[in-house]
Amino acid sequence: AQKVTQAQTEISVVEKEDVTLDCVYETRDTTYYLFWYKQPPSGELVFLIRRNSFDEQNEISGRYSWNFQKSTSSFNFTITASQVVDSAVYFCALSESSGGSYIPTFGRGTSLIVHP
Amino acid sequence: NAGVTQTPKFQVLKTGQSMTLQCAQDMNHEYMSWYRQDPGMGLRLIHYSVGAGITDQGEVPNGYNVSRSTTEDFPLRLLSAAPSQTSVYFCASSGSGTGELFFGEGSRLTVL
């Protein structure tokens, strides 16, 4: 069973629109970490955020915000006033404490296309 | 600040050939891992290591070998390349115990 589900394969928006990328995860551990990574067209993977399972506070960084809800096992990512430079593939990931290795499992990614 | 260095960046192989993708990190990280990225499949874990001398299989290990003789290096070996191994490969390291990964730039492998 897929542990991290990103149901949106591709999202297309026009610049300045707000957009939310969904991430639903599955784990039996009480201690785990959630991540978002960005992969721009150039191909590198860029770390955006890490959240631990004990911290449900939402986080805002500029135009980016993240909503972590344990009740729904979701860790959604919102970009406010999107820009063309936000066009990328975004990956959500989960690392669990089982086995002590904390090696992340990734979702399949959401491709965001922002049109000028 | 080199971080995670992967070589080569591009490689074309013929079916049946073998090769090694090199990965080195200079951050003294305990954890290292290899992922492959295929369209629509996200990043899938091939093998990982939690320290020198310790390796384990990930989700898609078949056809690949790894070893971790030093903290710095974690090479990925393709024993007999197959077209299904055409992919982009990422090496990553982590030292925090949380799973936060530092990635290499990726290696694009084509098997004909």
Side-chain angles (χ1 to χ4, degrees):
Chain A
Q2 198 171 351
K3 291 188 174 181
V4 179
T5 302
Q6 295 180 256
Q8 305 148 308
T9 304
E10 183 176 296
I11 301 175
S12 183
V13 300
V14 177
E15 211 170 17
K16 297 184 184 176
E17 281 187 41
D18 299 347
V19 57
T20 295
L21 309 180
D22 298 332
C23 174
V24 174
Y25 63 92
E26 177 187 329
T27 180
R28 293 180 180 176
D29 286 357
T30 56
T31 303
Y32 54 90
Y33 295 87
L34 294 161
F35 306 85
W36 277 95
Y37 288 85
K38 174 182 180 180
Q39 187 177 43
S42 51
E44 73 272 22
L45 286 153
V46 179
F47 166 81
L48 294 178
I49 190 171
R50 178 187 76 211
R51 208 26 133 211
N52 76 56
S53 52
F54 301 107
D55 183 2
E56 282 193 77
Q57 279 192 347
N58 292 333
E59 179 147 345
I60 298 174
S61 176
R63 295 183 297 105
Y64 294 174
S65 62
W66 291 269
N67 183 284
F68 176 27
Q69 290 195 342
K70 288 175 77 169
S71 60
T72 56
S73 297
S74 64
F75 186 45
N76 296 337
F77 173 29
T78 297
I79 301 174
T80 303
S82 59
Q83 299 177 2
V84 172
V85 293
D86 296 325
S87 296
V89 180
Y90 291 87
F91 292 100
C92 181
L94 163 73
S95 70
E96 302 164 286
S97 62
S98 56
S101 62
Y102 286 104
I103 303 294
T105 300
F106 285 79
R108 297 190 176 188
T110 297
S111 177
L112 174 64
I113 303 168
V114 182
H115 299 280
Chain B
N1 294 337
V4 179
T5 303
Q6 281 182 241
T7 56
K9 288 188 170 43
F10 300 95
Q11 183 72 51
V12 178
L13 290 177
K14 294 181 180 178
T15 296
Q17 288 184 317
S18 62
M19 77 156 298
T20 299
L21 295 174
Q22 302 290 347
C23 177
Q25 54 96 2
D26 61 0
M27 296 172 281
N28 202 32
H29 284 171
E30 279 185 88
Y31 304 107
M32 295 187 75
S33 49
W34 277 101
Y35 291 85
R36 60 178 287 173
Q37 182 179 16
D38 303 292
M41 298 301 292
L43 292 156
R44 293 182 293 170
L45 182 65
I46 305 172
H47 285 285
Y48 66 96
S49 169
V50 299
I54 306 169
T55 63
D56 206 346
Q57 297 180 352
E59 180 186 355
V60 288
N62 292 342
Y64 306 96
N65 259 0
V66 291
S67 60
R68 183 97 179 271
S69 56
T70 66
T71 300
E72 294 78 20
D73 300 301
F74 191 46
L76 178 72
R77 298 182 187 84
L78 281 71
L79 307 174
S80 177
S84 60
Q85 293 178 303
T86 293
S87 188
V88 179
Y89 293 84
F90 286 95
C91 179
S93 73
S94 173
S96 65
T98 65
E100 180 179 334
L101 297 176
F102 292 78
F103 283 96
E105 293 182 341
S107 299
R108 183 175 293 275
L109 175 66
T110 302
V111 183
L112 303 175

